[in-house]
Amino acid sequence: MMNNSYLIKNAHAILTGLSGTAARSSATDIRIQNGKISEVGQLTELENEQVVNAKDCVIYPAWVNTHHHLFQSLLKGEPQGLNQNLSAWLATTPYRFRGAFDETTFRIAVRIGLIELLRSGCATVADHHYLYWPKMSFDGAAILFDEAEKLGMRFVLCRGGATLTRGLESDLPQALRPEKFDDYMADIERLVHLYHQSEGNSFRKIVMAPTSTLHSMTPEQFRERAKIARRLGIGMHSHLSETVDYLDAAKAKFNMTPVQYCAENDWVGNDVWFAHLVKLLPDEIQILGQTKTGVAHCPQSNARLGSGIADLVSLEKAGMTISIGVDGAASNEAADMLSETHAAWLLQRARKGMLAKPQYEGGMFEGGADAASIEDIIRWGTVGGAKVLGLDQVGTIEIGQQADLVLYRLDDPRYLGLQDMAIGPIASGGRAYIKAMFVAGKMVVENDQIPDVDMMELASQAKQSVKLLQQRSMQMAKIA
């Protein structure tokens, strides 16, 4: 926690992450003391206070990204998987390359992904990390927490992995072999002991997150993981219902729907959130809503893979907590929160427009233009995410909350001409210039620059790592 005192002055607009009329503040100034927001209003400078001039800037709560795969930052636009649907893409891209990663390439991928997120105004990242196999040569968790700490970001490790595979273990390469259940659980205990913080302003959390709900473990193991997670006081996360294949697989394997299967095994509740939830039946939505289960909506990845568009309006109306996740860069070549929220805003409207029965009236067609407001998107991408991650002191601009906020300066031609500048970072898309960004009161971005980050060196490392991964994947293919 920082002892620095800042006064942010003269903001053009402040959007708070709250609901209704409270979504926009009438204030122009924000005071930060001891890592928290201490005052909001029209404020006078105090002695020994650093002033940040926010003239022509709009201020948002810093984004909370609830689903990512950071290792995929070096797999953007991978040609063989570029035009594939989910199942084929999984085999073609992330699974084909996973064994090519070593400690160095993994660290570079993580660094690229976190910096890309930070430069979009994202302060909190939940990474669904599933690069685990027996006898690994590096500790991915340690690298993830280390890189996030260097950038001053909050980090949630969703510890993925599988104890079951659909292939024959003896025929699989080492990187695709499953872990043993006891080894997985021992590592969860280790990670909780080393890293987990339970407070609502935590910088580090551990989550129980098997890679797949239907395929990564037996039903007995699935149920046992829920029991252990609740004993340890950690959250639970996984992928669910991204495509119709989930419905077919759950029926074939368990004679029930995917959500029914999760409910039968204690994988619903306000300590659980699932990525995607694109293909849901009405009864499934009711179960998820009644249990206050959360969702990480990943619109760009779902569009890129041809999976569809999750119905956030219906999910929230049913009682679910909505959040936004970037997903892996191998299925989302712009893996940042501004691109993601821009897509979420547009695609919710497109979805409603496709489903609505057009009614010609007064020269206009009724469609989906009111499906989601900019204020809805901000709420989902900030306080919604904080809620599913158990960070109740994060996500809104209010007195007493953690000072996680970002000042966007909208002077690029993309934003010129806006009659309501407050909506610019989402509605106009692009990457807005960050005048300043704070995490727990610490300035982590200043004048669009991240301290101690050499972008040219990072670009060089990325190019070298991409070539190395391509060479290794080809070598492994020849061996296979």
Side-chain angles (χ1 to χ4, degrees):
M1 197 67 68
M2 303 301 295
N3 292 320
N4 295 343
S5 178
Y6 291 93
L7 177 62
I8 302 169
K9 289 281 292 180
N10 307 315
H12 177 82
I14 298 173
L15 274 66
T16 63
L18 298 169
S19 303
T21 58
R24 295 195 182 209
S25 173
S26 61
T28 58
D29 308 335
I30 300 172
R31 175 164 283 123
I32 298 172
Q33 294 176 315
N34 299 318
K36 297 182 179 181
I37 298 169
S38 60
E39 291 184 83
V40 179
Q42 282 72 43
L43 307 175
T44 303
E45 182 181 350
L46 301 177
E47 189 178 355
N48 298 322
E49 188 169 55
Q50 184 172 337
V51 177
V52 179
N53 187 1
K55 186 177 184 295
D56 296 329
C57 294
V58 299
I59 303 179
Y60 289 4
W63 299 109
V64 178
N65 169 20
T66 57
H67 183 75
H68 207 124
H69 304 297
L70 284 165
F71 84 93
Q72 294 182 15
S73 299
L74 290 170
L75 301 178
K76 296 176 180 177
E78 194 280 309
Q80 292 188 41
L82 190 59
N83 299 311
Q84 302 276 14
N85 290 333
L86 176 64
S87 295
W89 168 84
L90 282 170
T92 301
T93 303
Y95 289 149
R96 182 164 64 92
F97 277 92
R98 60 184 279 151
F101 281 88
D102 60 11
E103 182 172 355
T104 300
T105 50
F106 179 73
R107 184 179 288 276
I108 290 168
V110 169
R111 187 176 301 157
I112 291 169
L114 290 174
I115 288 173
E116 182 177 6
L117 287 164
L118 188 62
R119 282 167 55 84
S120 71
C122 179
T124 302
V125 180
D127 189 59
H128 193 183
H129 174 53
Y130 59 79
L131 287 191
Y132 288 99
W133 56 84
K135 299 179 181 178
M136 284 191 70
S137 62
F138 63 95
D139 184 350
I143 293 170
L144 286 159
F145 280 114
D146 181 53
E147 290 295 323
E149 183 178 20
K150 289 176 181 176
L151 295 168
M153 302 174 77
R154 301 183 195 273
F155 189 79
V156 178
L157 173 64
C158 302
R159 205 294 194 183
T163 54
L164 191 68
T165 176
R166 283 174 279 183
L168 295 174
E169 185 174 339
S170 60
D171 294 334
L172 289 173
Q174 188 71 16
L176 291 177
R177 293 184 182 182
E179 298 176 273
K180 302 221 177 276
F181 181 74
D182 290 344
D183 293 341
Y184 181 103
M185 287 305 157
D187 196 49
I188 285 283
E189 297 267 5
R190 177 185 74 90
L191 292 168
V192 170
H193 175 73
L194 285 175
Y195 299 110
H196 186 67
Q197 301 166 344
S198 59
E199 297 80 12
N201 62 349
S202 300
F203 267 78
R204 292 177 167 185
K205 282 184 176 290
I206 301 297
V207 170
M208 183 83 73
T211 306
S212 168
T213 47
L214 303 182
H215 306 299
S216 292
M217 75 228 87
T218 66
E220 294 76 19
Q221 291 174 348
F222 194 38
R223 191 178 307 113
E224 184 66 13
R225 290 187 191 204
K227 180 180 178 181
I228 293 172
R230 291 185 171 118
R231 174 176 63 78
L232 294 172
I234 61 175
M236 298 150 63
H237 178 61
S238 192
H239 301 96
L240 190 67
S241 300
E242 190 171 354
T243 65
V244 293
D245 290 345
Y246 279 78
L247 287 163
D248 295 339
K251 183 174 178 59
K253 293 179 73 170
F254 310 114
N255 196 31
M256 58 183 79
T257 69
V259 172
Q260 286 174 336
Y261 174 70
C262 290
E264 285 288 320
N265 290 286
D266 301 325
W267 268 79
V268 291
N270 62 8
D271 56 353
V272 181
W273 83 102
F274 294 111
H276 307 304
L277 298 183
V278 175
K279 304 296 184 182
L280 292 174
L281 300 175
D283 288 351
E284 294 183 291
I285 295 175
Q286 185 177 14
I287 292 170
L288 293 169
Q290 288 176 344
T291 56
K292 305 299 181 185
T293 304
V295 58
H297 176 50
C298 306
Q300 290 188 124
S301 177
N302 295 154
R304 152 83 146 76
L305 294 171
S307 300
I309 309 168
D311 184 1
L312 299 191
V313 176
S314 295
L315 299 186
E316 185 168 55
K317 186 177 180 180
M320 294 191 68
T321 299
I322 311 298
S323 70
I324 294 177
V326 161
D327 207 358
S331 62
N332 179 359
E333 284 64 37
D336 69 271
M337 284 297 281
L338 284 180
S339 295
E340 207 65 41
T341 51
H342 178 65
W345 181 60
L346 295 178
L347 290 176
Q348 282 305 296
R349 293 162 173 240
R351 186 187 191 284
K352 185 179 177 186
M354 289 186 294
L355 294 176
K357 182 179 180 181
Q359 295 179 356
Y360 191 78
E361 183 179 339
M364 295 292 291
F365 279 102
E366 288 186 351
D370 62 345
S373 69
I374 294 293
E375 290 82 0
D376 288 332
I377 300 297
I378 294 172
R379 177 169 51 83
W380 293 337
T382 58
V383 68
K387 185 176 180 181
V388 301
L389 298 181
L391 295 169
D392 59 11
Q393 297 179 40
V394 172
T396 59
I397 295 179
E398 296 179 276
I399 293 172
Q401 287 287 85
Q402 291 284 293
D404 290 17
L405 48 88
V406 56
L407 285 64
Y408 294 114
R409 195 180 78 193
L410 305 182
D411 55 0
D412 186 87
R414 174 182 289 271
Y415 309 105
L416 302 183
L418 278 167
Q419 297 200 11
D420 179 7
M421 281 179 59
I423 71 171
I426 297 172
S428 297
R431 194 189 77 80
Y433 181 102
I434 294 180
K435 169 74 174 180
M437 179 177 167
F438 298 86
V439 182
K442 178 183 178 181
M443 190 182 291
V444 296
V445 180
E446 184 175 12
N447 294 323
D448 216 35
Q449 299 296 312
I450 303 170
D452 303 320
V453 170
D454 185 335
M455 298 299 291
M456 292 184 66
E457 175 62 19
L458 187 66
S460 175
Q461 292 173 344
K463 290 177 183 178
Q464 293 172 11
S465 296
V466 167
K467 290 180 181 178
L468 188 59
L469 290 175
Q470 289 172 336
Q471 292 169 358
R472 288 175 180 168
S473 70
M474 287 189 289
Q475 291 169 356
M476 290 186 295
K478 289 178 182 178
I479 294 172

